[in-house]
Amino acid sequence: MYVAVKGGERAIENAHRLLDEERRGDPEIPEVTLDQIAGQLGLAVDRVMTEGSLHDRELAALAIKQARGDLIEAIFLLRAYRTTLPRFGYAEPIETADMSIQRRISATYKDLPGGQVLGPTFDYTHRLLDFQLAADGGTHPEPAAEAEPSDAPVPRVVDILNHEGLIEEERPEPAEASVGDLTRDPLTFPAGRDLRLQNLARGDEGFLLALGYSTQRGYGRTHPFAGEIRLGDVTVEFEPEELGFPVEIGEIAVTECQMINQFQGSAEVPPQFSRGYGLTFGHCERKAMAMALVDRSLRCREFGEEAGSPAQDEEFVLSHSDNVQSTGFVEHLKLPHYVDFQSELELVRKMRAAIDTPMKSAAE
Amino acid sequence: MSDGTYNFAYLDEQTKRMIRRSILKAVAIPGYQVPFASREMPMPYGWGTGGVQVTAGIIGPDDVLKVIDQGADDTTNAISIRKFFVRTTGVKTTEQTDEASIVQTRHRIPETALSDKQILVYQVPIPEPLRFLEPRETETRKMHALSEYGLMHVKLYEDIATHGHIATTYDYPVKVNGRYVTDPSPTPKFDNPKMDRMPALQLFGAGREKRIYAIPPYTEVKSLDFDDHPFEIQTWDAACALCNARDSFLDEVIIDDRGGRMFVCSDTDFCTARQAEGHVGPMAGTLPGSASEEVADGVG
Amino acid sequence: MPVSAEAAALHPGFADPVFDAQRLFRAVLDAMSHPGRIVQLSDLPDAPLPLNRTAAAVCLTLADFDTPLWIDDQSAAAEAARRHLRFHCGCSLPEAHGEAVFAVATDPTTLPPLASFAQGSDEYPDRSATIVLQVDRLSNQAGVTLSGPGIEHKTALDAGPLPTDFWEQVRANGTLFPRGVDLVFAAADRLAALPRSIRVEV
C-alpha cells in the first residue's frame, strides 16, 4: 500500500530525541550548569532577557542551555513562557539618575560631575585570543581596583546640558495620556514614541545595529554623539492597589544610552540638540546604542525632517524588528507547501504549453 | 487527560477574553481584519500561532478537534498542533471531518462538506489581501475603509493582459458579503467555491500579523474576476490513484527518477473514506511504501 | 473596607471560571454567527437586580479591566449590580455610555439612541460598542424579518419591550456598515444576537 511522504508521530519523537542528544554533546564531558551560563556567559543572558522581555537570569540561562546556545531560539523560549505568566500590574518607572553605577561614559565631555567610569568593557582590549583561557582551569583574575559600584547619585549628562537649555526637554506625557503596551494591544500606525521604544527594546540587536549603522553612512543622517552610556543597578518599585504606596520589589541591572543629535531648529523651536534613547536589561551596550540611533531616526516626522531612509520608516522598522516574528516566518518556509506548489506547477505547465504551442505551429 | 501544569488551552483567561471579543467583532463585520493582541505561543510564528490562538479561544472540553495541514491529518505540523491541544485540553481528536466540531487547517478546506454545527479555523500567514500590492498598513487600511479595491483589479487585469488568464492559483482574493476584499489564506483556488455560503462558521487567525477575521455561515463569498474572464478552479486530467476521485484536489507524487508521477487526494480523510467505501484507484495497493516509510520514520 | 466582608455580600460569579466562560462564549458566538437564533442557556449564576442572569453572565464572559462597561441604571438601587460587575469583571463603569465597550440596558425602553454609542471608524469599525438588552420577550414566532450573513434564508425575531422606534434605529445602524453597534438580547436563560451586518424588515 502506498504511503505518501508525510512525517509521522514517530519521526517527530525521534527528532526530539536526537535534539536532546546533540544538545548534551559528549556525555564524558560535564554538563554545563545554569550557574555557569548565568555567570560566565552573562552577556548572552542579558541579550536573551532584553529581547525576550523577561528579567530572570536563571530562566534565561535555562533557555540558552535548552537552545544549545542559539540566542534567538532562547529568546523565543522565554517569550513563550512569558505568555503563561499572570500580570499583576505595572511597576513604577525606574529612575536611572539614582543608578548605582558600574560604568558610565560620555563622549561629549572630557570630565563631568560623577566622572567617567570605565567599568567592565571590551573597548580597549586588544582582540587577541587569550590562550590562557583555553588552558584547563582558566585564569583567576586579580580583583579590579575600583570594582565597587558607586552609590552616590550621578547626574545624567543630558540633564547637565539642559541647564543651558541647549537640548530638547523631555516632558512627561500629560497624566491622562496612558502609556501604551504592545504586549497587550496590537501595534497600530502611526505609533507613538512609547510604543516605538517598546518595540525597539524587544527588537533584534542585529537588525537595529544595521539600521543604526545605515544612518551613520548617510541613510537619514542624524549627527549623533554618545552623550552618555551608563550601566548599573536600579531599584524596581511596584504599587499594589490595596496599599496605595510603592514598595521596592528588587533591583535590576540596565544599560541606558542617551544619544545627542544635532537639530537645525524650525519656525517654532530654536536650534538645539535632540535626543535618541536606548535602554536594555543587563549589559547590552551595542543594542542600547543602536536603539538610540534608530529611536532618533524614527522621530524625523516630529522634527519635520525629510524622511526617505529605511531607519526613518516607522512601518518598515517596527514591523520587521522582532526576531521571534521574523525567524518564525522565514523558517516556516520549511513547512510543507505542496498544495500551493502543486497549484503553481499546474499554472506554469499551462503557461509553458501556451508558449510552446504557437512556436511549434510556427516551425511547422 | 490534559497536562495540569498549563492553563486549559494554554492561554490565561484574560487573553482568551481578548481573543473572544475580537472573534465576536470579526463575526459582526464579515471579512474585516480585527487587530488583536496576539501572544507568543510555544510554536513559532508561521507555524499556525494565529489559528492556534483562535482554537484556544473557542475550544471546550466537549469539542472534538481535527487538525490538518495540506489536507492531511498526519503531516508533521498537524500532528504537532493536535498534540499541543491534547496536552493542554485533553479534548477528543479525530481524523474524520464529519466527526469534528472544530477543524483547524493550513492550506486546505476539507473535501467533505462542513455543517452548521462545525467551525473551521484557518491558519493565516499574511491576512492582508492587498499587502503585496501595497506594503504599508496605513495605506491598505485606508483602501479597505473606502472600499477602494481598484489596485487589486488592476493586478488581476494585468495578469490577463500578460498571460491571457489570471495567474493566481492560491491565496486567491475573495469579496465577503459584497464589502471586504479578504484573503482566504493560502488555500488553492480550488477551495474558494467551498467558502461561498458555507454552513460552518469560518474563523481566520494570523498570529504574527495580529489579525482575526471571520466569515459567518451562509455568507456570500465571491472570488474576484471579470465578466469576460470568470473565475475558474483547477482541474486534473487524472483521477486519484488510490480512490479514483475526480472531484478532489490532487497532489502530484513523483514515483521514480524518470519523471514518473501519480496523483493522490490531498485530503487524506476523504481519500481513506472513499477507499473504505470500495472505490479503487489505478495504483491502489500496487506500490510498495518502503521508500517513503523510511523517510517518515527515519532520523531525517 | 475589608474585601472579605464585601465579597460575602456579593453574588457569586461563575462556579467554574474557565469552563463556564467558555460555554457562555460559545453560546454568544453561536448567537452572533446565527443572528436571530435563540440560544438556550443553563446553570447561570444568580445576579443582583436589576441585572438578569443572562446579561450578567454575558458580562462575566466578555468584560474585564480592558473594557469599560456602561449600565443604564445609575440609581442607588443598582449599586449591588454595579458592585457585582466591578468585582467579578474588574471593569470600569463609566457614567457616559459613549465611552463603553459593553453596555447593559436593564430597561431597554429608556435606551439612549443606538447612534450615540461608540460606532467605530471606517478604518477601525471594531472599536464599537456591544449592547446587551435585557428583554422579557424573545422568540422567533413573529416580529421583524432578518436576513444577511449567518442566516440561510430569512428568520423572524420578536423581542421586547423595546423603544418604539427601535427597529428603525437598527435599520439606520445597518446603513452605517462597517461602522455600527452590535446587539445581544438577554432574556431569562436564553439569548439572541443581532450584529450590524443584518438587514431588518419591519
Side-chain angles (χ1 to χ4, degrees), chain C residues 175-197:
Chain C
T175 62
L176 297 173
F177 192 89
R179 299 167 66 232
V181 298
D182 306 306
L183 307 173
V184 174
F185 298 99
D189 294 328
R190 60 197 197 283
L191 61 81
L194 191 53
R196 67 194 80 176
S197 54

PDB file of all heavy atoms in Angstrom, chain C residues 175-197:
ATOM      1  N   THR C 175     -27.191  50.726   8.018  1.00  0.00           N
ATOM      2  CA  THR C 175     -26.729  51.506   6.856  1.00  0.00           C
ATOM      3  C   THR C 175     -25.342  52.091   7.093  1.00  0.00           C
ATOM      4  O   THR C 175     -24.703  52.540   6.149  1.00  0.00           O
ATOM      5  CB  THR C 175     -27.698  52.672   6.554  1.00  0.00           C
ATOM      6  OG1 THR C 175     -27.715  53.541   7.698  1.00  0.00           O
ATOM      7  CG2 THR C 175     -29.101  52.174   6.276  1.00  0.00           C
ATOM      8  N   LEU C 176     -24.883  52.092   8.335  1.00  0.00           N
ATOM      9  CA  LEU C 176     -23.552  52.642   8.632  1.00  0.00           C
ATOM     10  C   LEU C 176     -22.439  51.657   8.300  1.00  0.00           C
ATOM     11  O   LEU C 176     -21.276  52.007   8.340  1.00  0.00           O
ATOM     12  CB  LEU C 176     -23.438  52.977  10.130  1.00  0.00           C
ATOM     13  CG  LEU C 176     -24.349  54.044  10.693  1.00  0.00           C
ATOM     14  CD1 LEU C 176     -24.189  54.101  12.205  1.00  0.00           C
ATOM     15  CD2 LEU C 176     -24.027  55.384  10.068  1.00  0.00           C
ATOM     16  N   PHE C 177     -22.804  50.415   8.034  1.00  0.00           N
ATOM     17  CA  PHE C 177     -21.826  49.341   7.877  1.00  0.00           C
ATOM     18  C   PHE C 177     -20.622  49.801   7.055  1.00  0.00           C
ATOM     19  O   PHE C 177     -20.808  50.434   6.039  1.00  0.00           O
ATOM     20  CB  PHE C 177     -22.466  48.122   7.216  1.00  0.00           C
ATOM     21  CG  PHE C 177     -21.600  46.904   7.285  1.00  0.00           C
ATOM     22  CD1 PHE C 177     -21.669  46.039   8.361  1.00  0.00           C
ATOM     23  CD2 PHE C 177     -20.690  46.640   6.273  1.00  0.00           C
ATOM     24  CE1 PHE C 177     -20.841  44.917   8.424  1.00  0.00           C
ATOM     25  CE2 PHE C 177     -19.862  45.529   6.350  1.00  0.00           C
ATOM     26  CZ  PHE C 177     -19.940  44.676   7.414  1.00  0.00           C
ATOM     27  N   PRO C 178     -19.389  49.507   7.446  1.00  0.00           N
ATOM     28  CA  PRO C 178     -18.979  48.593   8.520  1.00  0.00           C
ATOM     29  C   PRO C 178     -19.037  49.181   9.933  1.00  0.00           C
ATOM     30  O   PRO C 178     -18.750  48.468  10.889  1.00  0.00           O
ATOM     31  CB  PRO C 178     -17.537  48.263   8.157  1.00  0.00           C
ATOM     32  CG  PRO C 178     -17.051  49.462   7.424  1.00  0.00           C
ATOM     33  CD  PRO C 178     -18.230  50.003   6.677  1.00  0.00           C
ATOM     34  N   ARG C 179     -19.355  50.478  10.066  1.00  0.00           N
ATOM     35  CA  ARG C 179     -19.475  51.020  11.412  1.00  0.00           C
ATOM     36  C   ARG C 179     -20.806  50.576  12.004  1.00  0.00           C
ATOM     37  O   ARG C 179     -21.658  50.038  11.301  1.00  0.00           O
ATOM     38  CB  ARG C 179     -19.385  52.539  11.368  1.00  0.00           C
ATOM     39  CG  ARG C 179     -18.044  53.028  10.817  1.00  0.00           C
ATOM     40  CD  ARG C 179     -18.073  54.504  10.468  1.00  0.00           C
ATOM     41  NE  ARG C 179     -18.237  55.312  11.662  1.00  0.00           N
ATOM     42  CZ  ARG C 179     -19.175  56.259  11.811  1.00  0.00           C
ATOM     43  NH1 ARG C 179     -20.032  56.501  10.833  1.00  0.00           N
ATOM     44  NH2 ARG C 179     -19.245  56.950  12.916  1.00  0.00           N
ATOM     45  N   GLY C 180     -20.980  50.813  13.287  1.00  0.00           N
ATOM     46  CA  GLY C 180     -22.252  50.474  13.916  1.00  0.00           C
ATOM     47  C   GLY C 180     -22.063  49.700  15.200  1.00  0.00           C
ATOM     48  O   GLY C 180     -20.946  49.341  15.562  1.00  0.00           O
ATOM     49  N   VAL C 181     -23.170  49.460  15.890  1.00  0.00           N
ATOM     50  CA  VAL C 181     -23.120  48.693  17.137  1.00  0.00           C
ATOM     51  C   VAL C 181     -23.674  47.292  16.905  1.00  0.00           C
ATOM     52  O   VAL C 181     -24.366  47.050  15.912  1.00  0.00           O
ATOM     53  CB  VAL C 181     -23.936  49.389  18.256  1.00  0.00           C
ATOM     54  CG1 VAL C 181     -23.362  50.753  18.568  1.00  0.00           C
ATOM     55  CG2 VAL C 181     -25.406  49.492  17.874  1.00  0.00           C
ATOM     56  N   ASP C 182     -23.347  46.383  17.812  1.00  0.00           N
ATOM     57  CA  ASP C 182     -23.872  45.016  17.764  1.00  0.00           C
ATOM     58  C   ASP C 182     -24.724  44.786  19.004  1.00  0.00           C
ATOM     59  O   ASP C 182     -24.414  45.293  20.074  1.00  0.00           O
ATOM     60  CB  ASP C 182     -22.713  44.022  17.697  1.00  0.00           C
ATOM     61  CG  ASP C 182     -21.776  44.341  16.544  1.00  0.00           C
ATOM     62  OD1 ASP C 182     -22.277  44.447  15.403  1.00  0.00           O
ATOM     63  OD2 ASP C 182     -20.567  44.526  16.784  1.00  0.00           O
ATOM     64  N   LEU C 183     -25.797  44.025  18.819  1.00  0.00           N
ATOM     65  CA  LEU C 183     -26.783  43.880  19.890  1.00  0.00           C
ATOM     66  C   LEU C 183     -26.880  42.435  20.364  1.00  0.00           C
ATOM     67  O   LEU C 183     -26.778  41.503  19.567  1.00  0.00           O
ATOM     68  CB  LEU C 183     -28.163  44.321  19.379  1.00  0.00           C
ATOM     69  CG  LEU C 183     -28.221  45.724  18.753  1.00  0.00           C
ATOM     70  CD1 LEU C 183     -29.595  45.963  18.139  1.00  0.00           C
ATOM     71  CD2 LEU C 183     -27.907  46.792  19.799  1.00  0.00           C
ATOM     72  N   VAL C 184     -27.076  42.295  21.677  1.00  0.00           N
ATOM     73  CA  VAL C 184     -27.360  40.982  22.258  1.00  0.00           C
ATOM     74  C   VAL C 184     -28.654  41.123  23.063  1.00  0.00           C
ATOM     75  O   VAL C 184     -28.771  42.037  23.886  1.00  0.00           O
ATOM     76  CB  VAL C 184     -26.209  40.506  23.178  1.00  0.00           C
ATOM     77  CG1 VAL C 184     -26.597  39.207  23.880  1.00  0.00           C
ATOM     78  CG2 VAL C 184     -24.918  40.330  22.389  1.00  0.00           C
ATOM     79  N   PHE C 185     -29.621  40.277  22.778  1.00  0.00           N
ATOM     80  CA  PHE C 185     -30.875  40.269  23.546  1.00  0.00           C
ATOM     81  C   PHE C 185     -30.757  39.212  24.634  1.00  0.00           C
ATOM     82  O   PHE C 185     -30.535  38.030  24.335  1.00  0.00           O
ATOM     83  CB  PHE C 185     -32.069  39.943  22.650  1.00  0.00           C
ATOM     84  CG  PHE C 185     -32.271  40.956  21.561  1.00  0.00           C
ATOM     85  CD1 PHE C 185     -31.810  40.718  20.270  1.00  0.00           C
ATOM     86  CD2 PHE C 185     -32.921  42.169  21.816  1.00  0.00           C
ATOM     87  CE1 PHE C 185     -31.983  41.654  19.268  1.00  0.00           C
ATOM     88  CE2 PHE C 185     -33.101  43.114  20.814  1.00  0.00           C
ATOM     89  CZ  PHE C 185     -32.634  42.855  19.536  1.00  0.00           C
ATOM     90  N   ALA C 186     -30.906  39.656  25.892  1.00  0.00           N
ATOM     91  CA  ALA C 186     -30.731  38.727  27.014  1.00  0.00           C
ATOM     92  C   ALA C 186     -32.063  38.530  27.716  1.00  0.00           C
ATOM     93  O   ALA C 186     -32.558  39.417  28.406  1.00  0.00           O
ATOM     94  CB  ALA C 186     -29.691  39.278  27.990  1.00  0.00           C
ATOM     95  N   ALA C 187     -32.681  37.361  27.510  1.00  0.00           N
ATOM     96  CA  ALA C 187     -33.919  37.018  28.210  1.00  0.00           C
ATOM     97  C   ALA C 187     -33.574  35.948  29.249  1.00  0.00           C
ATOM     98  O   ALA C 187     -32.427  35.511  29.346  1.00  0.00           O
ATOM     99  CB  ALA C 187     -34.950  36.505  27.217  1.00  0.00           C
ATOM    100  N   ALA C 188     -34.580  35.523  29.996  1.00  0.00           N
ATOM    101  CA  ALA C 188     -34.321  34.524  31.024  1.00  0.00           C
ATOM    102  C   ALA C 188     -33.803  33.238  30.387  1.00  0.00           C
ATOM    103  O   ALA C 188     -34.480  32.616  29.569  1.00  0.00           O
ATOM    104  CB  ALA C 188     -35.601  34.240  31.808  1.00  0.00           C
ATOM    105  N   ASP C 189     -32.579  32.868  30.722  1.00  0.00           N
ATOM    106  CA  ASP C 189     -31.957  31.618  30.277  1.00  0.00           C
ATOM    107  C   ASP C 189     -31.922  31.429  28.764  1.00  0.00           C
ATOM    108  O   ASP C 189     -31.911  30.297  28.274  1.00  0.00           O
ATOM    109  CB  ASP C 189     -32.641  30.411  30.942  1.00  0.00           C
ATOM    110  CG  ASP C 189     -32.404  30.411  32.443  1.00  0.00           C
ATOM    111  OD1 ASP C 189     -31.323  30.881  32.867  1.00  0.00           O
ATOM    112  OD2 ASP C 189     -33.300  29.978  33.191  1.00  0.00           O
ATOM    113  N   ARG C 190     -31.947  32.516  28.035  1.00  0.00           N
ATOM    114  CA  ARG C 190     -31.731  32.390  26.593  1.00  0.00           C
ATOM    115  C   ARG C 190     -31.309  33.731  26.036  1.00  0.00           C
ATOM    116  O   ARG C 190     -31.565  34.779  26.629  1.00  0.00           O
ATOM    117  CB  ARG C 190     -32.981  31.857  25.879  1.00  0.00           C
ATOM    118  CG  ARG C 190     -34.202  32.720  26.037  1.00  0.00           C
ATOM    119  CD  ARG C 190     -35.454  31.907  25.674  1.00  0.00           C
ATOM    120  NE  ARG C 190     -36.589  32.789  25.427  1.00  0.00           N
ATOM    121  CZ  ARG C 190     -37.294  33.396  26.377  1.00  0.00           C
ATOM    122  NH1 ARG C 190     -36.965  33.230  27.652  1.00  0.00           N
ATOM    123  NH2 ARG C 190     -38.299  34.183  26.067  1.00  0.00           N
ATOM    124  N   LEU C 191     -30.632  33.676  24.912  1.00  0.00           N
ATOM    125  CA  LEU C 191     -30.185  34.924  24.299  1.00  0.00           C
ATOM    126  C   LEU C 191     -30.199  34.801  22.789  1.00  0.00           C
ATOM    127  O   LEU C 191     -30.240  33.709  22.225  1.00  0.00           O
ATOM    128  CB  LEU C 191     -28.795  35.337  24.814  1.00  0.00           C
ATOM    129  CG  LEU C 191     -27.581  34.441  24.594  1.00  0.00           C
ATOM    130  CD1 LEU C 191     -26.998  34.590  23.194  1.00  0.00           C
ATOM    131  CD2 LEU C 191     -26.499  34.797  25.612  1.00  0.00           C
ATOM    132  N   ALA C 192     -30.167  35.979  22.127  1.00  0.00           N
ATOM    133  CA  ALA C 192     -30.059  36.066  20.673  1.00  0.00           C
ATOM    134  C   ALA C 192     -29.208  37.283  20.367  1.00  0.00           C
ATOM    135  O   ALA C 192     -29.046  38.157  21.218  1.00  0.00           O
ATOM    136  CB  ALA C 192     -31.445  36.207  20.039  1.00  0.00           C
ATOM    137  N   ALA C 193     -28.644  37.320  19.165  1.00  0.00           N
ATOM    138  CA  ALA C 193     -27.782  38.447  18.827  1.00  0.00           C
ATOM    139  C   ALA C 193     -28.166  39.033  17.477  1.00  0.00           C
ATOM    140  O   ALA C 193     -28.779  38.359  16.637  1.00  0.00           O
ATOM    141  CB  ALA C 193     -26.322  38.012  18.811  1.00  0.00           C
ATOM    142  N   LEU C 194     -27.784  40.281  17.304  1.00  0.00           N
ATOM    143  CA  LEU C 194     -28.096  40.991  16.066  1.00  0.00           C
ATOM    144  C   LEU C 194     -26.911  41.886  15.715  1.00  0.00           C
ATOM    145  O   LEU C 194     -26.834  43.026  16.163  1.00  0.00           O
ATOM    146  CB  LEU C 194     -29.371  41.826  16.261  1.00  0.00           C
ATOM    147  CG  LEU C 194     -30.002  42.428  15.024  1.00  0.00           C
ATOM    148  CD1 LEU C 194     -30.246  41.384  13.948  1.00  0.00           C
ATOM    149  CD2 LEU C 194     -31.315  43.099  15.395  1.00  0.00           C
ATOM    150  N   PRO C 195     -25.965  41.345  14.929  1.00  0.00           N
ATOM    151  CA  PRO C 195     -24.833  42.169  14.529  1.00  0.00           C
ATOM    152  C   PRO C 195     -25.249  43.203  13.480  1.00  0.00           C
ATOM    153  O   PRO C 195     -26.318  43.091  12.875  1.00  0.00           O
ATOM    154  CB  PRO C 195     -23.852  41.152  13.946  1.00  0.00           C
ATOM    155  CG  PRO C 195     -24.683  39.988  13.531  1.00  0.00           C
ATOM    156  CD  PRO C 195     -25.860  39.961  14.451  1.00  0.00           C
ATOM    157  N   ARG C 196     -24.409  44.189  13.269  1.00  0.00           N
ATOM    158  CA  ARG C 196     -24.701  45.313  12.373  1.00  0.00           C
ATOM    159  C   ARG C 196     -24.870  44.901  10.923  1.00  0.00           C
ATOM    160  O   ARG C 196     -25.411  45.654  10.126  1.00  0.00           O
ATOM    161  CB  ARG C 196     -23.569  46.327  12.490  1.00  0.00           C
ATOM    162  CG  ARG C 196     -22.245  45.793  11.944  1.00  0.00           C
ATOM    163  CD  ARG C 196     -21.075  46.618  12.336  1.00  0.00           C
ATOM    164  NE  ARG C 196     -20.649  46.319  13.693  1.00  0.00           N
ATOM    165  CZ  ARG C 196     -19.578  46.849  14.265  1.00  0.00           C
ATOM    166  NH1 ARG C 196     -18.847  47.722  13.628  1.00  0.00           N
ATOM    167  NH2 ARG C 196     -19.243  46.500  15.485  1.00  0.00           N
ATOM    168  N   SER C 197     -24.379  43.691  10.582  1.00  0.00           N
ATOM    169  CA  SER C 197     -24.376  43.243   9.185  1.00  0.00           C
ATOM    170  C   SER C 197     -25.761  42.811   8.699  1.00  0.00           C
ATOM    171  O   SER C 197     -25.929  42.514   7.519  1.00  0.00           O
ATOM    172  CB  SER C 197     -23.402  42.069   9.053  1.00  0.00           C
ATOM    173  OG  SER C 197     -23.738  41.065   9.996  1.00  0.00           O
TER     174      SER C 197
END
